[in-house]
Amino acid sequence: MTTGEVGTISPEECWVLLEDESFGRLAYRLVDEVHIVPLDYVTSGRSIYLRTQAGNKLLAAALSSDVALEIDWRGEHGAWSVVVRGRLRLLEAAEHPLEVPAARPWVTDAASEVVELVPEVVEGRRFSWS
Amino acid sequence: MTTGEVGTISPEECWVLLEDESFGRLAYRLVDEVHIVPLDYVTSGRSIYLRTQAGNKLLAAALSSDVALEIDWRGEHGAWSVVVRGRLRLLEAAEHPLEVPAARPWVTDAASEVVELVPEVVEGRRFSWS
């Protein structure tokens, strides 16, 4: 039997991890379905910014529901995960806080929009085992 | 501007990737909220098996809604992602198809249950950019 330890990552440390990382997965609802897509993001202040294709079906769905963005790391004897839950907000061009990279891997043309994930809950957990 | 290419990964190849990997993220609904947790899994045949703590709140929620399991890889010039969407089914001990490892990192004691993710949709996408 595996012994394991679970610890909470403070919100401060969650943001350090979010700032160090740039690749996560966004989960959102589409009616009764749950979808999850990988994407690139950037942080600025205490928000998260994504670039998505204009008219994207994902964007339309995600704008009308709560979403969760997850980043993680898993090694041989430990792992951590940070989840940001909140709502998406479509930004006007003038609002872009910084150069948001094309959200590889899911954007392939220039017709894109920038979306802010306004965090409501930021939680992290760290795990270790032998 | 980045140029990128997107390709579809066949279901056959998705299963090869799922069999090679053992760590993914499960997204599920809890009323209006979307949650996402990292977990270990094993494959057998064309199903996915997870071990979770008995009485787990996640399990209760996930059993009543569609879920999505995602695995991915991201490199400097490419990435791929495979998503399995379906429903969870709590297994009886006699049904366990194989030794399912304790689902590190989120199980820390012996009181656990095995859950099958019965796939309804298996989709993969591959991305490359320069």
Side-chain angles (χ1 to χ4, degrees), chain B residues 107-130:
Chain B
V107 171
T108 58
D109 67 33
S112 63
E113 296 173 319
V114 176
V115 178
E116 177 183 5
L117 168 48
V118 184
E120 287 163 16
V121 178
V122 179
E123 293 173 319
R125 297 178 81 194
R126 196 186 300 282
F127 311 88
S128 63
W129 56 80
S130 54

Side-chain angles (χ1 to χ4, degrees), chain B residues 3-127:
Chain B
T3 57
E5 288 183 22
V6 182
T8 301
I9 301 176
S10 71
E12 284 298 320
E13 198 182 348
C14 286
W15 280 106
V16 172
L17 292 166
L18 286 163
E19 285 158 13
D20 283 350
E21 184 56 79
S22 63
F23 177 65
R25 301 100 198 154
L26 187 76
Y28 63 99
R29 283 192 302 138
L30 184 57
V31 194
D32 280 348
E33 296 177 353
V34 176
H35 291 259
I36 178 168
V37 293
L39 47 73
D40 283 357
Y41 69 88
V42 295
T43 57
S44 177
R46 289 294 158 99
S47 273
I48 286 172
Y49 298 89
L50 323 164
R51 190 182 284 276
T52 182
Q53 252 171 325
N56 190 293
K57 180 175 131 185
L58 173 146
L59 177 64
L63 282 171
S64 64
S65 81
D66 281 6
V67 300
L69 178 85
E70 193 254 10
I71 62 172
D72 59 45
W73 169 85
R74 189 196 191 294
E76 202 175 336
H77 296 291
W80 57 257
S81 170
V82 170
V83 176
V84 180
R85 297 188 44 251
R87 287 194 163 251
L88 297 185
R89 186 172 76 91
L90 188 61
L91 298 190
E92 302 296 329
E95 291 183 281
H96 297 186
L98 72 174
E99 188 52 34
V100 179
R104 304 163 178 155
W106 50 309
V107 171
T108 58
D109 67 33
S112 63
E113 296 173 319
V114 176
V115 178
E116 177 183 5
L117 168 48
V118 184
E120 287 163 16
V121 178
V122 179
E123 293 173 319
R125 297 178 81 194
R126 196 186 300 282
F127 311 88

Side-chain angles (χ1 to χ4, degrees), chain A residues 1-6 22-29 31-38 40 65-70 72-74 76 79-81 83 85 102 104-110 125 127 129-130, chain B residues 1-6 22-29 31-38 40 65-70 72-74 76 79-81 83 85 102 104-110 125 127 129-130:
Chain A
M1 188 56 213
T2 306
T3 56
E5 287 183 22
V6 183
S22 62
F23 177 65
R25 299 102 199 153
L26 186 74
Y28 62 99
R29 283 192 302 138
V31 193
D32 279 348
E33 297 178 350
V34 176
H35 291 259
I36 177 167
V37 292
D40 283 357
S65 80
D66 281 6
V67 300
L69 177 85
E70 193 254 9
D72 58 45
W73 170 85
R74 191 197 190 290
E76 201 176 336
W80 58 256
S81 170
V83 176
R85 297 188 44 251
R104 303 162 180 157
W106 50 309
V107 172
T108 57
D109 68 33
R125 299 177 80 194
F127 311 88
W129 55 81
S130 54
Chain B
M1 190 55 214
T2 306
T3 57
E5 288 183 22
V6 182
S22 63
F23 177 65
R25 301 100 198 154
L26 187 76
Y28 63 99
R29 283 192 302 138
V31 194
D32 280 348
E33 296 177 353
V34 176
H35 291 259
I36 178 168
V37 293
D40 283 357
S65 81
D66 281 6
V67 300
L69 178 85
E70 193 254 10
D72 59 45
W73 169 85
R74 189 196 191 294
E76 202 175 336
W80 57 257
S81 170
V83 176
R85 297 188 44 251
R104 304 163 178 155
W106 50 309
V107 171
T108 58
D109 67 33
R125 297 178 81 194
F127 311 88
W129 56 80
S130 54

